[in-house]
Amino acid sequence: MEIYWYLTAPDGHQPWAASGSRQVNYAYFQQVARAVDHLGFTGALLATGAHDPWILGASLIPYTERMKFLIAIQPGLISPTLLAKMAVTFNQFSKGRVLLNVVSGDKNTLGAYGMHLDHDARYDLSDEFLQVLRPLLNQENVSFKGEHLDIENARLALSNGGYPPPPLWFGGSSEAAQEVAAKHIDTYLSWGETPPQAAEKIAQVRARADKHLRQLRYGIRLYVIVRETDELAWQAVDALYASMDDSAIAARQHLARGSDSVGQSRMSALHNDQKPADPRELEIYPGLWAGIGLVRPGPGTAIVGSPETVERTLRAYQQAGVEVFILSGFPLLEEAYRFSELVMPRLSLTTPDDAAKNTFTWGNLWDRPVRSGDPAQ
């Protein structure tokens, strides 16, 4: 099992409300990155958001030693050749710590960048983009002519510096998205669905990958609200829920209006844009709460409960086929510490060094984790 954290604004105790938002600047990102680095997370997702993920990630390399940077990339907004050059440069400078999360996006967000392709055409573009990107990352020469891309004699002057080429990650619930993943991707991601739903989707993608003679890993993006007991965790939910007023819910609905994202529609179906009187009515699976989707776009579910409950839910996903978890809480910094102290000692986790595949052991939780075979032991 691998656990990633999140490194993208906005943040705060209730970031959908002005009174609950926190100033997110470079100094704060350094704090969160240092926490991810020394608490034992495999890495962090740098998603599409207010800050450019490439600049943010590159600027944090000197402040980290172990964490991997899962950086969002968007086909159509950048040349695959230029993207490959950026990724290999990052891979050299970070000593092999970059991962690429391919985001095909939706028409709402991409229109602002001048890209106006319909849903399936965006995935056709992603398919072509990855046919160029992957061999370039493997230091191969590429010429390609498709409907969207026309690449002549592309090659990189750089190598990966002796490190493996950056792996490719990808999410998307539609049939078109699943087919692109099956053909090209190393790790397929889902948004906060229940373990049975995740198992169903994983089976679909795995069947497609089998046709291409490929094997993928599977991951999921979730929030987590963990406290010492289940009762305290649900009290934390109550506090969050109380801050989700009509204006916050309307703002999220405005962002999602007109979206052609299948994943977003699946998330919205979990709560139907309705705020019941009792937040427990949005518990869609034992220990899984869909209320965050009322005020946040994208993945809208949270694992809620004591360390034992959170572990049990993570294990349910693991049994469904999930190997990688991208988690976050409000605020990012404090909840990274809380999760690392309450839950991570209960899990068998690999280190950020994928090649070594060592397992963390836990002593003083305020110090960095000690790896098996580490001279510091």
Side-chain angles (χ1 to χ4, degrees):
M1 183 186 294
E2 293 181 12
I3 305 289
Y4 288 73
W5 202 243
Y6 194 66
L7 197 59
T8 305
D11 194 26
H13 290 276
Q14 292 123 18
W16 45 85
S19 60
S21 296
R22 169 175 290 176
Q23 182 183 11
V24 178
N25 55 24
Y26 184 46
Y28 183 67
F29 279 127
Q30 290 178 31
Q31 285 184 287
V32 179
R34 287 178 186 271
V36 170
D37 195 54
H38 84 263
L39 290 174
F41 295 93
T42 303
L45 170 63
L46 284 67
T48 57
H51 299 87
D52 179 78
W54 280 104
I55 294 175
L56 176 60
S59 72
L60 293 172
I61 291 173
Y63 297 96
T64 58
E65 297 178 359
R66 300 172 181 83
M67 66 168 280
K68 293 183 179 292
F69 295 86
L70 178 55
I71 297 182
I73 64 172
Q74 295 185 278
L77 302 187
I78 188 171
S79 154
T81 309
L82 177 56
L83 188 282
K85 183 177 182 179
M86 294 164 61
V88 169
T89 302
F90 196 117
N91 212 29
Q92 278 194 5
F93 292 178
S94 68
K95 300 181 180 178
R97 293 191 284 136
V98 67
L99 314 166
L100 304 179
N101 184 34
V102 182
V103 179
S104 296
D106 74 356
K107 66 179 183 181
N108 284 358
T109 56
L110 293 175
Y113 293 90
M115 182 174 162
H116 302 280
L117 296 177
D118 65 26
H119 179 277
D120 286 359
R122 291 197 305 274
Y123 286 102
D124 290 339
L125 169 59
S126 294
D127 183 31
E128 293 186 9
F129 188 92
L130 292 168
Q131 289 182 63
V132 176
L133 177 64
R134 177 142 227 162
L136 284 174
L137 295 176
N138 287 321
Q139 300 173 223
E140 300 173 17
N141 295 353
V142 179
S143 292
F144 178 89
K145 187 173 181 60
E147 182 179 350
H148 302 281
L149 297 176
D150 187 353
I151 305 294
E152 295 182 2
N153 300 319
R155 64 185 181 89
L156 300 183
L158 297 172
S159 73
N160 281 290
Y163 300 99
L168 301 175
W169 298 42
F170 184 90
S173 295
S174 67
E175 291 188 8
Q178 291 183 18
E179 184 64 18
V180 171
K183 290 171 64 176
H184 301 292
I185 298 304
D186 301 302
T187 300
Y188 174 80
L189 293 173
S190 289
W191 280 349
E193 297 157 321
T194 66
Q197 289 172 327
E200 180 182 7
K201 187 187 289 187
I202 287 171
Q204 293 170 355
V205 178
R206 184 175 285 135
R208 290 178 181 272
D210 286 344
K211 293 179 181 179
H212 296 284
L213 304 178
R214 302 188 68 246
Q215 291 185 340
L216 280 62
R217 299 194 314 159
Y218 298 91
I220 195 163
R221 167 81 179 96
L222 295 157
Y223 294 93
V224 62
I225 303 170
V226 61
R227 297 296 185 268
E228 288 76 4
T229 67
D230 287 337
E231 181 181 4
L232 289 173
W234 283 102
Q235 287 177 12
V237 168
D238 291 340
L240 289 175
Y241 201 60
S243 72
M244 297 178 182
D245 58 18
D246 291 343
S247 62
I249 295 172
R252 203 282 308 170
Q253 292 173 344
H254 177 74
L255 286 174
R257 190 170 296 125
S259 172
D260 59 355
S261 166
V262 175
Q264 185 62 70
S265 66
R266 288 168 70 98
M267 288 292 95
S268 297
L270 297 177
H271 52 71
N272 293 318
D273 288 327
Q274 301 295 318
K275 185 185 179 185
D278 184 355
R280 291 296 291 261
E281 293 184 36
L282 294 177
E283 187 178 15
I284 57 174
Y285 180 87
L288 195 65
W289 184 62
I292 291 175
L294 289 170
V295 291
R296 295 289 294 142
T301 51
I303 302 174
V304 178
S306 65
E308 294 81 5
T309 297
V310 171
E311 180 191 6
R312 184 166 59 248
T313 307
L314 291 172
R315 299 294 184 195
Y317 279 110
Q318 194 174 37
Q319 291 176 3
V322 175
E323 303 165 66
V324 179
F325 296 87
I326 303 174
L327 305 176
S328 64
F330 306 112
L332 290 171
L333 183 61
E334 289 91 326
E335 292 303 314
Y337 275 91
R338 194 191 303 271
F339 183 85
S340 74
E341 293 166 2
L342 295 180
V343 181
M344 288 173 72
R346 309 176 66 90
L347 307 174
S348 299
L349 300 176
T350 58
T351 71
D353 183 358
D354 286 343
K357 293 295 181 185
N358 292 326
T359 301
F360 278 114
T361 59
W362 293 80
N364 183 343
L365 292 171
W366 293 101
D367 296 330
R368 71 170 177 85
V370 177
R371 294 177 293 177
S372 87
D374 192 318
Q377 277 186 271

